[in-house]
């Protein structure tokens, strides 16, 4: 049985891994009615691990399956709630990302959704003899 209360612990979903994490905030029903579950998901953010990497100057590349995401390959942009994450991640320094992909990225942007094969190609490039 789902018990409701007039207080709830706030959670957000990590943009990078898609897992819920606690924010440490307490939500309160202003009318003091038992309308909330024990945890309430309020939006997107970065979990502690991915926030630390972002603060250190990394951009996360999150591999998504375009067919399961409902977006055609190479067309449009994924929204976080649409993205079907495959579980493959890579983190690149912001300046490396901009040089490698010849694209700029906003300072506050923590992740980029990429098609299957992009991370494998980066791994191949990184392991190739110089």
């Amino acid at each position: 049985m789902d018990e409701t209360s007039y207080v709830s612990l706030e959670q957000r979903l990590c943009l990078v891994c898609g897992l819920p994490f606690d924010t440490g905030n307490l939500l309160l029903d202003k009318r003091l009615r038992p309308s909330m579950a024990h945890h309430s998901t309020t939006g997107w953010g970065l979990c502690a691990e991915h926030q630390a990497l972002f603060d250190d100057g990394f951009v996360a590349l999150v591999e998504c399956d375009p067919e399961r995401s409902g977006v055609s390959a190479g067309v449009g942009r994924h929204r976080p709630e649409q993205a079907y994450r495959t579980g493959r991640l890579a983190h690149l320094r912001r300046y490396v990302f901009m040089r490698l992909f010849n694209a700029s990225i906003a300072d506050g942007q923590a992740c980029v959704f990429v098609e299957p094969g992009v991370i494998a190609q980066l791994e191949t490039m990184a392991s190739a003899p110089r």
Side-chain angles (χ1 to χ4, degrees):
M1 180 173 171
D2 243 356
E3 288 192 33
T4 56
S5 176
Y6 59 92
V7 294
S8 181
L9 299 171
E10 181 187 35
Q11 287 188 327
R12 292 200 177 151
L13 296 174
C14 181
L15 280 167
V16 177
C17 61
L19 298 175
F21 65 94
D22 291 328
T23 64
N25 296 327
L26 188 66
L27 305 175
L28 175 69
D29 185 319
K30 289 183 181 181
R31 299 176 310 260
L32 297 178
R33 293 184 185 158
S35 62
M36 294 193 238
H38 183 67
H39 289 95
S40 295
T41 303
T42 59
W44 297 92
L46 294 174
C47 65
E49 175 187 357
H50 293 115
Q51 182 66 53
L53 287 165
F54 175 71
D55 292 342
D56 286 340
F58 287 91
V59 175
L61 277 64
V62 181
E63 186 178 86
C64 294
D65 185 346
E67 291 178 12
R68 290 186 173 183
S69 297
V71 177
S72 300
V75 179
R77 295 182 176 185
H78 287 94
R79 293 194 330 243
E81 62 272 9
Q82 290 176 313
Y84 183 88
R85 293 161 178 81
T86 64
R88 293 193 60 149
L89 300 173
H91 289 87
L92 296 175
R93 293 266 181 204
R94 187 169 294 278
Y95 69 90
V96 172
F97 174 87
M98 291 190 298
R99 279 190 63 198
L100 192 62
F101 291 100
N102 195 25
S104 62
I105 185 169
D107 289 337
Q109 187 172 347
C111 71
V112 176
F113 297 121
V114 297
E115 295 178 4
V118 172
I119 295 174
Q121 179 66 32
L122 289 173
E123 289 171 345
T124 302
M125 290 169 59
S127 65
R130 297 174 192 212

